[in-house]
Amino acid sequence: MGGVLYNSSELPTFTLTGLPGLENSQHWMFLLLGTLYIVSIVGNALILFIVKEEQSLHQPMYYFLSLLSVNDLGVSFSTLPTVLTTFCFHLRTISFDSCMAQMFFIHFFSLMESGVLLVMSFDRYVAICKPLLYTSMLTDSRVVCMGMWVITRSFCMVFPLPFLLKRLPFCKANVLSHAYCLHPDLIHLPCGDITINSIFGLIIVMFTLGLDSALILFSYVFILRSVLAIASREERLKTLNTCVSHLCAVLIFYVPKIGVSLTARYGRHAPRLVHTVLCLIYLFVPPMLNPVIYSIKTKQIRWRLGRMLLPTKI
């Protein structure tokens, strides 16, 4: 056999990878990624603070936005330790248990973001298509239940993944394609039968990302039909404007995700740098852009930020 075989009592370690072919530019990459981390963490923390402090934002739409910000902070903190050690300190080894923990949290928050975007689309659907029922349908208790459903579903879907990997023997070099642990990357390393892992991974994608994206699409079909029924052009534009932030959040999450999936399945002969950059975009861009988009498009958040940055002199 061409490698070391690890049994269940001797768990393997994994080697993380920076940017293939750009080893001499790793410090510059860390400066870029560090900037994205700072923007993401500060931006999402500000969104949480403003929603908490601003009474006019105590509405279902902004409760869901707060959940999205918590999720984006989770994504950032899940990847930060290994990205920091790989690009800044050139420490590329990660233990099996640490890798499994990181994989769990990255995929947990990824699926959770899809669920949050789904419940946000339901909020927009009710607000536009059934405005008279909005307050009775989206009560505080129902908002909490929807948030708990998103969290519970993500946990139940991702929880088996580390155990399904742990049961397999590893006998290869165990070099990962990224500076963090992802299930599609890890699943190719064991030398045992990975059929169950592949099927379960496909089920997760179908019943979370696939189902969520279809339901979001259907919600916007109904929203568009209701908007087109409005006689006034100004009212149509005003109504559609309330969906712009959510639509942008959906696009910046799903478009990179689709790119990553298509490249992993059909672009195996593409340069490794392409896979790495797409994954970086998928994990780094949404947490950075979501608070920026909502800050620009939400009048109350803009006003509160203005007061914080330019306090009124008494």
Side-chain angles (χ1 to χ4, degrees), residues 71 78 99-115 149-166 181-184 186 197 200-201 203-205 207-209 257 282:
N71 183 84
S78 295
C99 191
M100 293 300 105
Q102 185 181 53
M103 179 196 72
F104 171 83
F105 283 111
I106 289 176
H107 290 292
F108 169 74
F109 287 117
S110 176
L111 297 187
M112 185 173 156
E113 180 146 359
S114 180
W149 170 79
V150 168
I151 295 169
T152 304
R153 184 191 70 160
S154 301
F155 179 85
C156 292
M157 285 289 185
V158 179
F159 186 71
L161 291 180
F163 300 100
L164 289 174
L165 280 169
K166 193 172 184 178
C181 299
L182 297 175
H183 184 258
L186 287 162
N197 302 64
F200 188 72
I203 290 171
I204 290 175
V205 172
F207 286 95
T208 53
L209 300 172
K257 177 62 180 174
Y282 168 61

Side-chain angles (χ1 to χ4, degrees), residues 8 11 48 58 63 121 127 135 154 190 195 197 216-217 233:
S8 57
L11 296 174
L48 290 172
H58 292 183
Y63 294 148
S121 73
T135 53
S154 301
T195 303
N197 302 64
I216 290 170
L217 179 62
R233 181 175 180 273

Side-chain angles (χ1 to χ4, degrees), residues 204-261:
I204 290 175
V205 172
M206 287 174 57
F207 286 95
T208 53
L209 300 172
L211 183 61
D212 292 352
S213 58
L215 291 174
I216 290 170
L217 179 62
F218 282 130
S219 71
Y220 272 100
V221 169
F222 289 117
I223 287 170
L224 191 59
R225 191 175 68 173
S226 294
V227 169
L228 292 176
I230 299 172
S232 168
R233 181 175 180 273
E234 287 185 5
E235 285 298 315
R236 286 201 298 268
L237 292 175
K238 185 179 177 182
T239 305
L240 279 175
N241 194 48
T242 64
C243 300
V244 170
S245 299
H246 178 255
L247 272 173
C248 290
V250 169
L251 289 174
I252 63 175
F253 175 76
Y254 281 105
V255 170
K257 177 62 180 174
I258 291 169
V260 169
S261 300

Side-chain angles (χ1 to χ4, degrees), residues 62 241 244-245 248 292-299 302:
Y62 299 107
N241 194 48
V244 170
S245 299
C248 290
V292 174
I293 291 166
Y294 276 94
S295 297
I296 293 171
K297 293 299 297 179
T298 307
K299 182 180 177 181
R302 248 191 356 256

